[in-house]
């Protein structure tokens, strides 16, 4: 769970255990779900509750008195936190490995202090102090990284601080004519949507981390939301960006398009904090939809399903949300919907001749009933050569209403001894099935601990004319004695299977976990370009050591 304490009217996040948003409870597993997991993967009756935070071994702060005094003079004493709870709250992100380390009391990389600036100028001041005293700085937003992107790595520096942007949470401006909003980087996605909705607009960016993630985090990691087929990936939305760097402030983006050299905005976006701390983002917004429609279909078999999504993409009639689950993920969704409902739906699909059901969810946002009707009709026409079984709007709306619930179940699964984690990639249409098969094989081979194979689910949730993403979720009995090694072995095997077939990350970013495979994707020259860029803005290497590229 996410525990909070109030600090002078502000909400200070101090201990993050899962992706559960502040104030929300984790989702328990139903008795039927537990029975199914025991049958499907051989889950035992043993429970594995988390170690109390009071028992975690947290070293004392190494932040020296002189830089601490300078930081307190800049930010105010109450915005330089060195207490154990505050530091633990920024000790890593939300990967399975992060959660297991905190739950099992394993060694953690804990920052020496947490800094809470309230505006871009103060962020700049923090970097100047830290550069002067050779202190590593880890930018921290919602803490939802699943690739080690916010690990408090020291990188050989005198100390390491977490620069939490939670107080940079303002809507700076909204230009309704140009449809551009300027948002501070620490603003939560939920708050951004609320503020924009008050003016009749939406950003339309809804990743599964939506309830916790921040605007700056979206930009720093090239995030992709569930409605990316309609609204675009986050980098498509960015019109401008403001960064603080040890070399000075850096502002990018003055027009909707430019031929004034390479687009340096795209160098800053996805830089994962190694080229500067993003403090403001100018984003393209759109009028909030007045109508929406979500519905579900079933396609018989993975190949038929990907053919259907490819047809939608290449005829340019993708729904805003276009999500195809493979047979395993569909099986899990049906099983966890309840035994009676699953049995009835299974009988219905078999009567329709469907032997390997793949769930296809399509969702449209529109400004009018006419627009919605036209877009849906175009999509249905594109599916004319693929046999589908329509499940209707109730099933589609059910998916929509539960689309952020997955992260809330992680604590319950971890309590029951389940290894639960995700990874993702993308490739061209011609290589999609081969890549899925290679990754599935690697994961099954390296996660199986007993007589029953682990569950390896896959779905397509981001589609393009030339290819699509693949998002994998695994459920396996946890190796109680070697939990971290169990997943690390499987993750490395999966990444080896991806290398040469697809990208090492479609939207989770590189961080620490994917760094060994980045060089093969961008080449030695690409690595040299990134290294040179970092040296230009961060000559002493204080910004987020150990992430994206080797220091």
């Amino acid at each position: 769970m996410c525990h909070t304490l109030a600090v002078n009217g502000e909400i200070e996040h101090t201990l993050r255990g899962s992706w559960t948003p502040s104030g929300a409870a984790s989702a328990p597993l139903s008795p039927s779900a537990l029975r199914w997991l025991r049958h499907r993967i051989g889950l035992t009756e043993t429970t594995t509750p988390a170690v109390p935070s009071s028992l975690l071994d947290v070293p004392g702060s190494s932040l020296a008195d002189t830089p601490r005094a300078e930081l307190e003079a800049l930010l105010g004493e109450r915005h330089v936190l060195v207490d154990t709870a505050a530091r633990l709250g920024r000790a890593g992100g939300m990967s399975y490995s992060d959660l297991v380390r905190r739950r099992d009391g394993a060694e953690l990389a804990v920052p020496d202090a947490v800094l809470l600036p309230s505006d871009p100028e103060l962020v700049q001041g923090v970097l100047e102090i830290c550069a002067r005293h050779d202190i590593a700085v880890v930018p921290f937003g919602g803490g939802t990284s699943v690739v080690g992107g916010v690990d408090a790595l020291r990188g050989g520096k005198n100390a390491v601080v977490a620069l939490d942007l939670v107080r940079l949470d303002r809507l700076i401006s909204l230009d309704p004519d140009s449809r551009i909003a300027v948002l501070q980087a620490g603003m939560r996605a939920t708050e951004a949507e609320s503020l924009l909705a008050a003016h009749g607009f939406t950003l339309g960016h809804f990743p599964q981390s939506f309830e916790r993630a921040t605007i700056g985090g979206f930009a720093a990691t090239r995030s992709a939301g569930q409605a990316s087929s309609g609204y675009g990936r986050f980098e498509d939305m960015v019109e401008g960006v403001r960064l603080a760097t040890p070399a000075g402030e850096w502002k990018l983006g003055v027009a909707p398009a430019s031929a004034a050299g390479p687009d340096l905005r795209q160098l800053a976006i996805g830089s994962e904090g190694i080229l500067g701390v993003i403090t403001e983002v100018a984003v393209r917004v759109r009028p909030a939809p007045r109508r929406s429609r979500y519905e579900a279909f079933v396609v018989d078999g993975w190949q038929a399903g990907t053919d259907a999504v490819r047809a939608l993409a290449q005829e340019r009639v993708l729904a805003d949300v276009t999500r195809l689950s493979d047979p395993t993920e569909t099986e899990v969704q049906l099983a966890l919907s309840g035994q009676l409902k699953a049995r009835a739906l299974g009988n219905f699909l078999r009567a329709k001749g469907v032997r390997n059901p793949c769930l296809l969810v399509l969702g449209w946002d529109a400004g009018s009933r006419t627009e919605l009707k036209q877009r849906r009709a175009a999509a249905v026409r594109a599916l004319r050569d693929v046999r589908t079984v329509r499940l209707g709007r109730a099933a589609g709306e059910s998916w929509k209403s539960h689309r952020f619930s997955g992260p809330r179940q992680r604590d319950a699964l971890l309590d029951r001894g389940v290894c639960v984690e995700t990874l993702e990639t993308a490739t061209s249409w011609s290589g999609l099935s081969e890549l899925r098969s290679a990754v599935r094989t690697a994961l099954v081979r390296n996660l199986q601990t007993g007589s029953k194979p682990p569950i390896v689910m896959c779905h397509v949730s981001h589609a393009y004319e030339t290819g699509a993403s693949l998002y994998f979720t695994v459920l396996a009995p946890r190796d109680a004695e070697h939990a971290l090694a169990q997943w690390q072995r499987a993750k490395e095997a999966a990444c080896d299977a991806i290398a040469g077939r697809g990208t090492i990350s479609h939207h989770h970013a590189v961080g620490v976990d994917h760094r060994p495979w980045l060089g093969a994707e961008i080449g030695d020259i690409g690595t040299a370009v990134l290294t040179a860029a970092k040296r230009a803005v961060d000559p002493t290497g204080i910004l987020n050591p150990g992430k994206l590229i080797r220091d």
Side-chain angles (χ1 to χ4, degrees), residues 85-340:
R87 292 163 54 220
L88 266 178
R90 285 80 172 181
M94 292 297 133
S95 72
Y96 171 74
S97 297
D98 290 327
L99 299 182
V100 167
R101 287 190 186 99
R102 288 200 285 270
R103 293 174 66 89
D104 292 354
E107 184 177 351
L108 295 170
V110 182
D112 294 300
V114 176
L115 310 181
L116 300 165
S118 60
D119 60 48
E121 290 76 19
L122 290 176
V123 174
Q124 186 65 47
V126 165
L127 296 189
E128 292 170 3
I129 292 172
C130 290
R132 191 159 58 245
H133 293 281
D134 202 32
I135 296 170
V137 179
V138 179
F140 199 97
T144 61
S145 174
V146 292
V147 294
V150 294
D151 286 0
L153 302 183
R154 193 174 298 264
K157 302 302 179 184
N158 294 327
V160 56
V161 297
L163 182 58
D164 194 325
L165 302 174
V166 66
R167 299 176 68 212
L168 273 73
D169 61 354
R170 292 184 284 279
L171 170 62
I172 301 298
S173 64
L174 176 61
D175 178 349
D177 293 333
S178 305
R179 295 183 178 176
I180 296 175
V182 178
L183 304 168
Q184 289 189 321
M187 178 176 287
R188 295 291 177 97
T190 51
E191 181 67 11
E193 281 297 322
S194 178
L195 290 173
L196 292 172
H199 298 276
F201 289 97
T202 182
L203 186 57
H205 192 70
F206 303 105
Q208 196 170 52
S209 60
F210 171 75
E211 294 175 311
R212 289 193 58 159
T214 61
I215 297 299
F218 290 156
T221 59
R222 301 179 77 88
S223 174
Q226 294 170 346
S228 68
S229 296
Y231 291 91
R233 293 167 56 91
F234 197 76
E235 67 262 28
D236 302 324
M237 304 174 183
V238 176
E239 297 292 326
V241 63
R242 180 180 181 182
L243 301 95
T245 84
E249 190 169 67
W250 193 15
K251 295 182 179 180
L252 296 164
V254 297
S258 171
D263 188 353
L264 293 180
R265 286 177 301 183
Q266 295 301 323
L267 182 62
I269 301 167
S271 59
E272 301 186 31
I274 73 164
L275 300 182
V277 180
I278 296 173
T279 56
E280 291 180 2
V281 185
V283 290
R284 178 260 298 147
V285 296
R286 291 182 176 171
R290 296 180 179 179
R291 303 278 182 178
S292 69
R293 180 186 178 111
Y294 283 72
E295 57 185 301
F297 304 80
V298 166
V299 183
D300 193 6
W302 171 256
Q303 189 60 55
T306 55
D307 286 346
V309 177
R310 179 167 59 87
L312 293 171
Q314 293 181 344
E315 294 190 31
R316 301 187 181 185
V317 291
L318 283 165
D320 298 308
V321 170
T322 303
R323 181 185 178 105
L324 173 73
S325 296
D326 75 353
T328 304
E329 186 168 282
T330 302
E331 174 199 359
V332 172
Q333 290 171 328
L334 292 179
L336 299 184
S337 67
Q339 186 175 5
L340 293 178

Side-chain angles (χ1 to χ4, degrees), residues 39 150 176 223 256 339 357 363 479 485 499 507 512 515:
H39 169 75
V150 294
S223 174
Q339 186 175 5
D479 184 330
H507 59 269
V512 174
R515 193 179 64 180

Side-chain angles (χ1 to χ4, degrees), residues 434-505:
E434 178 191 350
L435 178 56
R436 171 177 168 268
S437 178
V439 174
R440 278 179 50 84
T441 298
L443 290 170
V444 170
R445 181 179 296 140
N446 287 278
L447 283 173
Q448 187 161 353
T449 58
S451 60
K452 295 187 177 182
I455 297 171
V456 179
M457 300 172 266
C458 181
H459 67 252
V460 168
S461 52
H462 309 278
Y464 312 90
E465 288 188 60
T466 57
S469 67
L470 292 173
Y471 191 100
F472 297 87
T473 303
V474 304
L475 297 173
R478 185 160 75 240
D479 184 330
E481 295 183 4
H482 307 97
L484 291 174
Q486 176 192 20
W487 172 245
Q488 188 62 36
R489 181 177 64 249
K491 178 69 179 285
E492 289 178 1
C495 289
D496 286 342
I498 289 170
R501 292 186 175 96
T503 178
I504 198 60
S505 178

Side-chain angles (χ1 to χ4, degrees), residues 420-443:
V420 51
E421 185 57 303
T422 65
L423 61 89
E424 41 73 49
T425 180
T427 192
S428 59
W429 288 112
S430 59
L432 200 69
S433 291
E434 178 191 350
L435 178 56
R436 171 177 168 268
S437 178
V439 174
R440 278 179 50 84
T441 298
L443 290 170

